[in-house]
Amino acid sequence: MSVPTAHGTTTISDRAFTRIAEQLASEDEHVTGLPHVSASVCGAVSAVHCDLAVRYPAPVPRLAAKIREHVRRRLRELTGIAVENVDIEVVKLVPERKSERKSGRKHERRGGDERRPRPA
């Protein structure tokens, strides 16, 4: 994908565009882990799909709308590519740990399953 400028053309690879979208989708404090993002770009227009794990409890519809707008706006600002559609799919709800609720702290958890098996 190329974006014409006054002095030439800037080219952003599909992988780079997807990685930028991935980072943007993970910036909200309610998102845990690294989102799975796919994107399709045709010229200067794109569509993005994000699979997210979200800390519970969170207002999922409002959170999805907030992340959708953030990804759309920032991708346009950072790449110059218009984002026609951002689909948000919440694929996992991760309960807050009791220690997080008491202290008000949110620990960043990246990758892997956040649940630990309980001893029998």
Side-chain angles (χ1 to χ4, degrees):
M1 65 201 101
S2 299
V3 180
T5 63
H7 301 287
T9 302
T10 301
T11 303
I12 301 167
S13 72
D14 290 345
R15 181 179 169 144
F17 185 83
T18 301
R19 294 292 301 224
I20 294 167
E22 194 174 77
Q23 176 61 40
L24 293 171
S26 71
E27 290 179 346
D28 191 278
E29 66 183 3
H30 291 98
V31 174
T32 184
L34 194 59
H36 177 265
V37 175
S38 58
S40 61
V41 180
C42 184
V45 179
S46 68
V48 177
H49 179 91
C50 304
D51 290 337
L52 307 176
V54 174
R55 286 191 178 93
Y56 178 82
V60 174
R62 279 186 285 166
L63 179 62
K66 179 181 168 188
I67 293 170
R68 182 179 296 111
E69 182 54 36
H70 177 69
V71 169
R72 177 181 286 127
R73 181 178 51 79
R74 291 293 290 149
L75 273 172
R76 173 68 180 196
E77 290 172 1
L78 294 170
T79 67
I81 297 170
V83 181
E84 286 282 315
N85 194 43
V86 178
D87 291 327
I88 303 291
E89 187 171 344
V90 176
V91 296
K92 186 175 184 180
L93 292 174
V94 179
E96 284 185 3
R97 295 182 194 162
K98 289 180 183 178
S99 62
E100 289 176 345
R101 278 185 248 143
K102 288 179 183 176
S103 68
R105 293 186 352 219
K106 305 252 189 229
H107 298 285
E108 194 65 26
R109 294 184 293 258
R110 297 277 179 199
D113 191 1
E114 288 79 21
R115 289 192 235 155
R116 303 211 192 287
R118 291 184 179 174

